[in-house]
Amino acid sequence: MSQSIAAFWEFTRGLATVCAEVGTIGCRLLYYGQNYLIYPSAFPPESRTEVPTPDMYGLHYEGVELKTEDGVLLRCYLLTQRKEVVHRFALQIPVNDEMSDDEFAATRPTVLMFHGNGGNLGHRIPLARVFYNEMRCNVFMLSYRGYGDSEGRPSESRLCIDAQTALDYILAHANLRGPPIILYGQSLGGAVAIHLASRNPSKIHALILENTFTSFPQVIPHATPIPSPFTILCHQKWDSASKLPLIPRETPILMLSGERDEVVPPQHMTELWEIASRRQGTTVDSRDGNGGAPVGSGEPNGEPNSEVGNARSRFVKFPDGYHNNTFMQMDYWHAVKEFVASLCS
């Protein structure tokens, strides 16, 4: 009998040891392997091997190779404006006949695009085309390291380096450094944009943010419920809630939120808007995506503020917008065009 008890306890100790070791290994895999989950650069399949180019959409572009401070090669796209853009919705701008294409480009704002955590920059060319053709903006499309044809491996600190490298390139470009610089970020790209603007407060003129989050750990329980108990192990923070107040209140921000977002709860955008409103001490034109009446503001009582400071910031909600199709919703591009036009005026 005593031998049976001893054997049982020996088995129990062995099982506990194995479980502890498996748990330790699992935690290490979650900690050190989480970048493969957070930055799925190979999804959809062939995203690392098949990268569309702007000329496939009838756009003139320049392939730009950037070398980061840590020696990683990024392969990006630059679309600079030309005097003549053949498009039925193109913004008509009076142009001096003696002005060159380069001189014209130097009069137009530049949109620096940051895409989400899946796919590659080529998948976002249709969005760039709207900025280029219909708003007559220069467009720089950044390819993060580890995405598309860019070298390296992504992480929070490394993507921040990539974003700074792209901005530095624009600021050194003869035709781009003078006009306003607008950051456009979707989902993860919104967090990249907020970080870059917080580090370069005098260089960024405006931000356009779509379906982004307050911080990455706070979105894990909703986006990936299974590993949510291990959120404490997440070292990719992307803490936009703490960085947003560092952006000057004079910097206009357009926030675009899909109310049916199944990945990032819309509450994240609402919280970011409230933070932005406190930062600005201003204003709201918070409307639904169908041109309806105001649906709320940064003020507790829901009433629009008086026009103090920057009154050009807006928070637009799209009732039928999901995480990946908000840009297809009615009035999405109308809101963006109005915002860009207000910057140019």
Side-chain angles (χ1 to χ4, degrees):
M1 183 69 174
S2 59
Q3 291 180 342
S4 298
I5 295 175
F8 171 77
W9 284 114
E10 186 66 26
F11 171 77
T12 301
R13 282 196 297 269
L15 181 61
T17 300
V18 170
C19 290
E21 290 177 351
V22 170
T24 301
I25 294 173
C27 289
R28 286 178 176 174
L29 287 174
L30 282 171
Y31 185 81
Y32 293 106
Q34 62 188 257
N35 282 13
Y36 293 99
L37 299 174
I38 297 172
Y39 309 104
S41 58
F43 182 83
E46 301 178 343
S47 289
R48 292 304 311 276
T49 57
E50 296 183 5
V51 185
T53 55
D55 57 347
M56 299 167 73
Y57 293 81
L59 298 171
H60 295 277
Y61 82 105
E62 175 187 352
V64 176
E65 293 189 346
L66 300 180
K67 204 59 163 295
T68 65
E69 64 181 28
D70 56 343
V72 175
L73 185 65
L74 310 178
R75 293 184 172 89
C76 313
Y77 299 151
L78 172 63
L79 289 69
T80 53
Q81 274 298 317
R82 304 161 71 92
K83 290 192 298 181
E84 300 296 332
V85 172
V86 181
H87 191 277
R88 59 176 177 164
F89 297 122
L91 179 65
Q92 299 303 314
I93 302 174
V95 180
N96 188 323
D97 291 338
E98 297 180 358
M99 182 181 289
S100 68
D101 283 335
D102 286 345
E103 290 172 331
F104 177 70
T107 69
R108 302 304 301 160
T110 296
V111 175
L112 174 51
M113 293 183 62
F114 300 118
H115 63 75
N117 70 335
N120 58 54
L121 79 168
H123 298 148
R124 279 73 179 191
I125 294 173
L127 309 181
R129 181 171 55 179
V130 179
F131 282 112
Y132 184 83
N133 279 342
E134 301 185 27
M135 289 174 251
R136 306 299 298 275
C137 295
N138 304 302
V139 182
F140 189 92
M141 304 183 69
L142 173 65
S143 177
Y144 309 131
R145 67 182 67 198
Y147 282 78
D149 293 326
S150 294
E151 299 176 349
R153 293 182 297 174
S155 71
E156 179 176 3
S157 60
R158 295 166 187 163
L159 264 59
C160 291
I161 293 174
D162 298 347
Q164 187 65 55
T165 302
L167 178 61
D168 290 343
Y169 171 83
I170 292 172
L171 293 173
H173 194 286
N175 300 327
L176 307 181
R177 61 190 178 197
I181 298 173
I182 306 167
L183 306 185
Y184 174 72
Q186 296 176 297
S187 191
L188 172 66
V192 178
I194 291 172
H195 170 83
L196 185 64
S198 72
R199 297 295 297 272
N200 301 269
S202 64
K203 306 293 195 311
I204 304 304
H205 295 78
L207 293 87
I208 303 174
L209 309 173
E210 178 200 311
N211 292 339
T212 191
F213 40 80
T214 54
S215 73
F216 194 78
Q218 290 184 10
V219 83
I220 288 178
H222 184 83
T224 52
I226 294 178
S228 60
F230 303 96
T231 299
I232 191 173
L233 299 176
C234 182
H235 51 68
Q236 301 295 288
K237 303 300 185 182
W238 291 111
D239 189 1
S240 294
S242 66
K243 295 177 182 179
L244 192 55
L246 302 178
I247 301 173
R249 66 178 186 176
E250 293 81 11
T251 304
I253 300 178
L254 173 63
M255 294 192 181
L256 306 161
S257 176
E259 291 296 279
R260 296 194 179 190
D261 192 329
E262 73 284 14
V263 178
V264 178
Q267 180 60 28
H268 283 249
M269 288 292 287
T270 300
E271 291 180 18
L272 288 175
W273 173 250
E274 291 171 352
I275 294 171
S277 297
R278 291 195 295 270
R279 164 198 71 106
Q280 297 157 357
T282 163
T283 193
V284 164
D285 183 6
S286 182
R287 299 175 180 273
D288 65 39
N290 296 314
V295 294
S297 77
E299 292 300 295
N301 60 9
E303 293 297 327
N305 264 343
S306 59
E307 294 188 6
V308 178
N310 167 26
R312 291 180 294 175
S313 293
R314 292 185 63 194
F315 181 28
V316 187
K317 300 179 181 181
F318 300 91
D320 296 322
Y322 289 87
H323 190 70
N324 292 317
N325 77 347
T326 298
F327 70 92
M328 300 171 63
Q329 299 304 302
M330 183 182 300
D331 282 349
Y332 177 96
W333 288 109
H334 178 72
V336 174
K337 291 175 185 177
E338 278 192 341
F339 182 72
V340 172
S342 72
L343 303 175
C344 295
S345 65

